Amino acid sequence: MCTSALWLMCVSLLFSTSLSCYQCFVDVQDSLRLCWGHILTEHNIRNVDACFRKLDSIFNNNKRVIEAGRVGKGYDKQLKELLNAEILPMVEEFNNRLNDVSGCFPPCGFQSAGAVYNCITCQYDSCEFPLDCPVKEIKVMENSRSRMWCDVPFHLPNDIEVIWRFAEEVKTQQVDQFKEVTAGVDRLYSIPSASLQHQGTYLCEIYSGQRSIVRLYYYLTVTPQVVAGHTELQEIFDLSLLPGGWLLPAPGGPPHFPLLPSPLLLTACLTALLLLLFLSLGILYWLLIPEQTSLSEQAAGDEGLEGRI
Protein backbone atom coordinates (compact mmCIF):
# COMPACT_ATOMS: atom_id res chain seq x y z
CA MET A 1 0.00 0.00 0.00
CA CYS A 2 2.80 2.38 0.97
CA THR A 3 4.81 1.51 -2.12
CA SER A 4 1.83 2.07 -4.46
CA ALA A 5 1.21 5.47 -2.96
CA LEU A 6 4.84 6.45 -3.44
CA TRP A 7 4.68 5.35 -7.07
CA LEU A 8 1.64 7.54 -7.70
CA MET A 9 3.27 10.46 -5.92
CA CYS A 10 6.46 10.05 -7.95
CA VAL A 11 4.61 9.95 -11.25
CA SER A 12 2.38 12.89 -10.41
CA LEU A 13 5.28 15.09 -9.31
CA LEU A 14 7.64 14.24 -12.13
CA PHE A 15 5.02 14.51 -14.85
CA SER A 16 3.08 17.47 -13.47
CA THR A 17 4.98 19.90 -15.69
CA SER A 18 6.33 19.69 -19.20
CA LEU A 19 8.26 16.59 -20.13
CA SER A 20 12.03 16.62 -19.71
CA CYS A 21 14.91 14.29 -20.52
CA TYR A 22 14.75 12.90 -16.99
CA GLN A 23 11.32 11.33 -17.50
CA CYS A 24 12.28 10.11 -20.97
CA PHE A 25 15.44 8.27 -19.99
CA VAL A 26 15.39 7.54 -16.24
CA ASP A 27 13.02 4.83 -15.02
CA VAL A 28 10.40 5.76 -12.44
CA GLN A 29 11.58 2.84 -10.31
CA ASP A 30 15.07 4.35 -10.16
CA SER A 31 13.57 7.67 -9.12
CA LEU A 32 11.67 5.91 -6.35
CA ARG A 33 14.84 4.17 -5.16
CA LEU A 34 16.68 7.48 -5.27
CA CYS A 35 14.11 9.30 -3.19
CA TRP A 36 13.48 6.34 -0.88
CA GLY A 37 17.01 6.82 0.38
CA HIS A 38 16.64 10.58 0.92
CA ILE A 39 17.25 11.12 4.63
CA LEU A 40 16.89 14.40 6.49
CA THR A 41 20.03 14.39 8.62
CA GLU A 42 18.77 16.79 11.27
CA HIS A 43 15.68 14.67 11.98
CA ASN A 44 17.03 11.27 10.84
CA ILE A 45 13.83 10.54 8.90
CA ARG A 46 13.07 9.70 5.29
CA ASN A 47 11.47 12.49 3.24
CA VAL A 48 10.38 11.40 -0.20
CA ASP A 49 8.40 14.58 -0.98
CA ALA A 50 11.46 16.78 -0.58
CA CYS A 51 13.44 14.58 -2.93
CA PHE A 52 10.75 14.66 -5.62
CA ARG A 53 10.51 18.46 -5.35
CA LYS A 54 14.26 18.68 -5.80
CA LEU A 55 14.16 16.49 -8.92
CA ASP A 56 11.29 18.56 -10.30
CA SER A 57 13.19 21.81 -9.82
CA ILE A 58 16.38 20.43 -11.39
CA PHE A 59 14.99 18.71 -14.46
CA ASN A 60 11.47 20.01 -15.13
CA ASN A 61 11.75 23.72 -14.39
CA ASN A 62 15.39 24.37 -15.27
CA LYS A 63 15.60 25.93 -18.74
CA ARG A 64 19.35 25.31 -19.04
CA VAL A 65 18.84 21.59 -18.47
CA ILE A 66 15.98 21.44 -20.97
CA GLU A 67 18.00 23.28 -23.62
CA ALA A 68 21.00 21.04 -23.03
CA GLY A 69 18.78 18.06 -23.74
CA ARG A 70 17.93 19.25 -27.25
CA VAL A 71 20.04 16.98 -29.43
CA GLY A 72 19.93 15.85 -33.04
CA LYS A 73 18.57 12.58 -34.31
CA GLY A 74 20.62 9.57 -33.26
CA TYR A 75 22.17 11.23 -30.19
CA ASP A 76 19.36 10.30 -27.82
CA LYS A 77 21.07 7.04 -26.86
CA GLN A 78 24.21 8.90 -25.83
CA LEU A 79 22.11 11.32 -23.81
CA LYS A 80 20.42 8.42 -22.02
CA GLU A 81 23.80 6.89 -21.17
CA LEU A 82 25.01 10.23 -19.78
CA LEU A 83 21.93 10.66 -17.58
CA ASN A 84 22.06 7.10 -16.24
CA ALA A 85 25.78 7.44 -15.57
CA GLU A 86 25.03 10.45 -13.35
CA ILE A 87 21.80 9.28 -11.69
CA LEU A 88 22.40 5.57 -10.95
CA PRO A 89 25.53 6.10 -8.79
CA MET A 90 23.48 8.47 -6.63
CA VAL A 91 20.80 5.79 -6.35
CA GLU A 92 23.36 3.32 -5.01
CA GLU A 93 24.77 5.94 -2.66
CA PHE A 94 21.33 6.62 -1.20
CA ASN A 95 20.72 2.89 -0.86
CA ASN A 96 23.91 2.54 1.17
CA ARG A 97 22.94 5.48 3.31
CA LEU A 98 19.53 3.90 3.88
CA ASN A 99 21.21 0.71 5.10
CA ASP A 100 23.41 2.63 7.53
CA VAL A 101 20.54 4.64 8.98
CA SER A 102 17.72 2.12 9.12
CA GLY A 103 19.63 -1.12 9.63
CA CYS A 104 18.31 -2.79 6.48
CA PHE A 105 20.62 -5.38 4.94
CA PRO A 106 20.00 -6.24 1.28
CA PRO A 107 19.14 -8.20 -0.71
CA CYS A 108 16.54 -10.39 1.00
CA GLY A 109 14.65 -11.32 4.14
CA PHE A 110 11.86 -9.84 6.27
CA GLN A 111 13.73 -7.48 8.60
CA SER A 112 11.36 -6.01 11.12
CA ALA A 113 14.22 -4.86 13.33
CA GLY A 114 15.46 -2.59 10.55
CA ALA A 115 12.17 -0.69 10.19
CA VAL A 116 12.19 3.05 10.81
CA TYR A 117 9.35 5.39 11.71
CA ASN A 118 8.15 7.59 8.87
CA CYS A 119 6.66 10.90 9.95
CA ILE A 120 5.01 11.31 6.54
CA THR A 121 2.97 8.10 6.71
CA CYS A 122 2.92 7.98 10.55
CA GLN A 123 3.96 4.32 10.53
CA TYR A 124 7.02 2.11 10.43
CA ASP A 125 8.53 1.42 7.03
CA SER A 126 9.89 -2.11 6.65
CA CYS A 127 12.95 -2.87 4.56
CA GLU A 128 10.71 -4.25 1.79
CA PHE A 129 13.12 -6.94 0.60
CA PRO A 130 11.88 -10.22 -0.92
CA LEU A 131 11.98 -13.40 1.18
CA ASP A 132 13.92 -15.32 -1.49
CA CYS A 133 17.68 -14.74 -1.59
CA PRO A 134 19.75 -15.26 -4.78
CA VAL A 135 21.00 -18.79 -5.41
CA LYS A 136 24.57 -19.44 -4.24
CA GLU A 137 26.56 -22.04 -6.18
CA ILE A 138 28.75 -24.58 -4.37
CA LYS A 139 31.09 -27.00 -6.19
CA VAL A 140 32.60 -30.02 -4.45
CA MET A 141 34.44 -33.18 -5.42
CA GLU A 142 32.83 -36.57 -5.05
CA ASN A 143 33.36 -38.19 -1.60
CA SER A 144 34.38 -34.85 -0.07
CA ARG A 145 32.59 -32.97 2.73
CA SER A 146 30.17 -30.16 1.96
CA ARG A 147 28.72 -27.65 4.42
CA MET A 148 25.98 -25.07 3.98
CA TRP A 149 25.46 -22.42 6.63
CA CYS A 150 22.04 -20.77 6.82
CA ASP A 151 23.27 -17.37 7.93
CA VAL A 152 21.96 -13.83 7.41
CA PRO A 153 23.52 -10.41 8.16
CA PHE A 154 20.53 -9.12 10.14
CA HIS A 155 19.35 -9.98 13.62
CA LEU A 156 17.09 -13.02 14.06
CA PRO A 157 14.48 -13.58 16.81
CA ASN A 158 15.15 -16.08 19.57
CA ASP A 159 12.28 -18.42 18.66
CA ILE A 160 13.42 -19.40 15.16
CA GLU A 161 12.77 -22.72 13.42
CA VAL A 162 14.96 -23.85 10.53
CA ILE A 163 13.66 -26.18 7.81
CA TRP A 164 15.98 -27.62 5.17
CA ARG A 165 14.54 -28.79 1.84
CA PHE A 166 16.09 -30.38 -1.23
CA ALA A 167 15.31 -30.41 -4.99
CA GLU A 168 17.35 -33.14 -6.67
CA GLU A 169 19.36 -32.45 -9.86
CA VAL A 170 17.74 -29.08 -10.61
CA LYS A 171 18.61 -25.44 -10.02
CA THR A 172 15.36 -23.78 -8.98
CA GLN A 173 13.64 -21.42 -6.58
CA GLN A 174 10.18 -22.96 -7.00
CA VAL A 175 9.23 -23.95 -3.46
CA ASP A 176 6.81 -26.67 -4.62
CA GLN A 177 9.71 -28.62 -6.17
CA PHE A 178 11.45 -29.13 -2.82
CA LYS A 179 11.09 -31.98 -0.35
CA GLU A 180 11.67 -31.49 3.36
CA VAL A 181 14.92 -32.99 4.66
CA THR A 182 15.17 -31.84 8.25
CA ALA A 183 13.57 -29.41 10.69
CA GLY A 184 14.77 -27.92 13.96
CA VAL A 185 17.03 -25.08 15.08
CA ASP A 186 20.27 -26.16 13.39
CA ARG A 187 21.33 -23.66 10.72
CA LEU A 188 24.22 -25.85 9.55
CA TYR A 189 23.58 -28.58 6.98
CA SER A 190 26.51 -30.93 6.45
CA ILE A 191 27.12 -33.72 3.92
CA PRO A 192 30.03 -35.90 5.17
CA SER A 193 30.66 -37.58 1.78
CA ALA A 194 29.09 -35.96 -1.27
CA SER A 195 27.91 -38.18 -4.12
CA LEU A 196 26.05 -37.59 -7.38
CA GLN A 197 22.70 -38.12 -5.67
CA HIS A 198 23.40 -35.04 -3.50
CA GLN A 199 23.57 -32.74 -6.53
CA GLY A 200 20.75 -30.20 -6.68
CA THR A 201 19.34 -27.15 -4.87
CA TYR A 202 19.09 -26.90 -1.08
CA LEU A 203 16.62 -24.51 0.53
CA CYS A 204 17.01 -23.19 4.06
CA GLU A 205 13.90 -21.42 5.34
CA ILE A 206 13.84 -19.68 8.70
CA TYR A 207 10.56 -19.23 10.56
CA SER A 208 9.57 -17.21 13.61
CA GLY A 209 6.14 -17.76 15.13
CA GLN A 210 4.89 -19.66 12.04
CA ARG A 211 5.98 -16.74 9.85
CA SER A 212 8.68 -17.10 7.20
CA ILE A 213 11.56 -14.67 7.62
CA VAL A 214 13.99 -15.61 4.84
CA ARG A 215 14.68 -18.33 2.26
CA LEU A 216 18.26 -19.10 1.26
CA TYR A 217 19.17 -21.28 -1.74
CA TYR A 218 22.34 -23.29 -2.40
CA TYR A 219 22.97 -25.11 -5.69
CA LEU A 220 25.41 -27.98 -5.11
CA THR A 221 27.43 -29.40 -8.03
CA VAL A 222 29.28 -32.70 -7.44
CA THR A 223 32.17 -33.57 -9.77
CA PRO A 224 32.88 -37.32 -10.10
CA GLN A 225 36.40 -38.39 -9.16
CA VAL A 226 36.82 -40.42 -12.37
CA VAL A 227 36.11 -37.40 -14.54
CA ALA A 228 38.33 -35.22 -12.41
CA GLY A 229 41.15 -37.79 -12.55
CA HIS A 230 40.92 -38.10 -16.33
CA THR A 231 40.88 -34.34 -16.71
CA GLU A 232 43.93 -33.94 -14.50
CA LEU A 233 45.87 -36.63 -16.39
CA GLN A 234 44.93 -35.08 -19.72
CA GLU A 235 46.17 -31.67 -18.54
CA ILE A 236 49.46 -33.18 -17.36
CA PHE A 237 49.91 -35.02 -20.67
CA ASP A 238 49.15 -31.88 -22.71
CA LEU A 239 51.66 -29.87 -20.70
CA SER A 240 54.33 -32.56 -21.01
CA LEU A 241 53.97 -33.22 -24.75
CA LEU A 242 56.26 -31.14 -26.98
CA PRO A 243 55.82 -30.47 -30.73
CA GLY A 244 56.86 -33.47 -32.82
CA GLY A 245 55.68 -36.04 -30.30
CA TRP A 246 58.56 -35.55 -27.86
CA LEU A 247 58.04 -35.79 -24.12
CA LEU A 248 59.69 -33.59 -21.56
CA PRO A 249 62.69 -35.45 -20.04
CA ALA A 250 62.58 -36.25 -16.37
CA PRO A 251 64.85 -34.10 -14.17
CA GLY A 252 68.38 -35.57 -14.35
CA GLY A 253 67.34 -38.39 -16.70
CA PRO A 254 68.09 -39.15 -20.35
CA PRO A 255 65.88 -37.64 -23.03
CA HIS A 256 63.00 -39.71 -24.27
CA PHE A 257 62.68 -40.88 -27.84
CA PRO A 258 59.65 -39.80 -29.81
CA LEU A 259 56.59 -41.88 -29.36
CA LEU A 260 55.46 -41.34 -32.95
CA PRO A 261 57.23 -39.77 -35.95
CA SER A 262 56.04 -36.37 -36.95
CA PRO A 263 53.94 -35.95 -40.13
CA LEU A 264 56.78 -34.04 -41.79
CA LEU A 265 59.23 -36.88 -41.15
CA LEU A 266 56.76 -39.46 -42.49
CA THR A 267 56.23 -37.45 -45.67
CA ALA A 268 59.98 -37.13 -46.25
CA CYS A 269 60.52 -40.85 -45.75
CA LEU A 270 57.74 -41.84 -48.13
CA THR A 271 59.00 -39.41 -50.77
CA ALA A 272 62.51 -40.82 -50.53
CA LEU A 273 61.22 -44.39 -50.86
CA LEU A 274 59.20 -43.51 -53.96
CA LEU A 275 62.19 -41.78 -55.56
CA LEU A 276 64.39 -44.78 -54.83
CA LEU A 277 61.79 -47.10 -56.38
CA PHE A 278 61.55 -45.00 -59.56
CA LEU A 279 65.34 -44.83 -59.87
CA SER A 280 65.65 -48.60 -59.49
CA LEU A 281 63.02 -49.22 -62.16
CA GLY A 282 64.76 -46.77 -64.51
CA ILE A 283 68.16 -48.41 -64.08
CA LEU A 284 66.66 -51.86 -64.62
CA TYR A 285 64.95 -50.64 -67.79
CA TRP A 286 68.14 -49.20 -69.28
CA LEU A 287 70.05 -52.37 -68.46
CA LEU A 288 67.53 -54.54 -70.30
CA ILE A 289 67.47 -52.46 -73.56
CA PRO A 290 71.01 -53.49 -74.87
CA GLU A 291 70.31 -57.16 -74.21
CA GLN A 292 67.03 -57.01 -76.16
CA THR A 293 68.83 -55.23 -79.07
CA SER A 294 71.55 -57.89 -79.34
CA LEU A 295 69.00 -60.67 -79.38
CA SER A 296 67.09 -58.97 -82.18
CA GLU A 297 70.23 -58.56 -84.30
CA GLN A 298 71.20 -62.22 -83.80
CA ALA A 299 67.76 -63.38 -84.88
CA ALA A 300 67.93 -61.23 -88.00
CA GLY A 301 71.37 -62.72 -88.93
CA ASP A 302 70.11 -66.26 -88.60
CA GLU A 303 67.20 -65.54 -90.94
CA GLY A 304 69.65 -64.16 -93.58
CA LEU A 305 71.81 -67.26 -93.51
CA GLU A 306 68.83 -69.54 -93.99
CA GLY A 307 67.76 -67.54 -97.03
CA ARG A 308 71.14 -67.92 -98.74
CA ILE A 309 71.16 -71.67 -98.25
Side-chain angles (χ1 to χ4, degrees), residues 32-102:
L32 180 61
R33 290 173 56 199
L34 177 65
C35 291
W36 189 252
H38 187 73
I39 305 295
L40 297 181
T41 307
E42 60 272 17
H43 302 293
N44 196 21
I45 60 173
R46 183 183 298 116
N47 194 324
V48 181
D49 291 343
C51 176
F52 286 157
R53 286 194 294 269
K54 179 66 68 175
L55 291 176
D56 182 70
S57 63
I58 293 175
F59 293 99
N60 294 342
N61 299 322
N62 193 317
K63 293 183 179 180
R64 294 182 59 187
V65 174
I66 296 175
E67 290 298 325
R70 297 180 183 273
V71 295
K73 185 178 181 180
Y75 290 94
D76 53 328
K77 294 182 179 179
Q78 297 181 13
L79 184 59
K80 179 179 180 179
E81 293 176 356
L82 289 174
L83 279 172
N84 285 328
E86 295 295 329
I87 297 299
L88 296 183
M90 288 191 291
V91 174
E92 299 300 327
E93 180 182 356
F94 278 124
N95 282 344
N96 295 333
R97 185 180 302 178
L98 169 63
N99 297 333
D100 295 336
V101 174
S102 65

Side-chain angles (χ1 to χ4, degrees), residues 101-105 109-116 124-127 154-157 213:
V101 174
S102 65
C104 294
F105 295 91
F110 176 75
Q111 305 172 33
S112 58
V116 293
Y124 280 93
D125 296 328
S126 65
C127 298
F154 54 88
H155 177 72
L156 293 174
I213 297 178

Side-chain angles (χ1 to χ4, degrees), residues 181-222:
V181 177
T182 180
V185 295
D186 193 358
R187 288 189 284 164
L188 176 64
Y189 190 83
S190 178
I191 302 175
S193 180
S195 61
L196 295 180
Q197 64 182 2
H198 293 115
Q199 183 166 288
T201 307
Y202 291 82
L203 165 61
C204 169
E205 188 167 7
I206 301 178
Y207 292 86
S208 175
Q210 303 299 322
R211 180 175 184 176
S212 179
I213 297 178
V214 65
R215 287 192 288 257
L216 293 93
Y217 298 85
Y218 304 90
Y219 180 67
L220 181 66
T221 302
V222 181

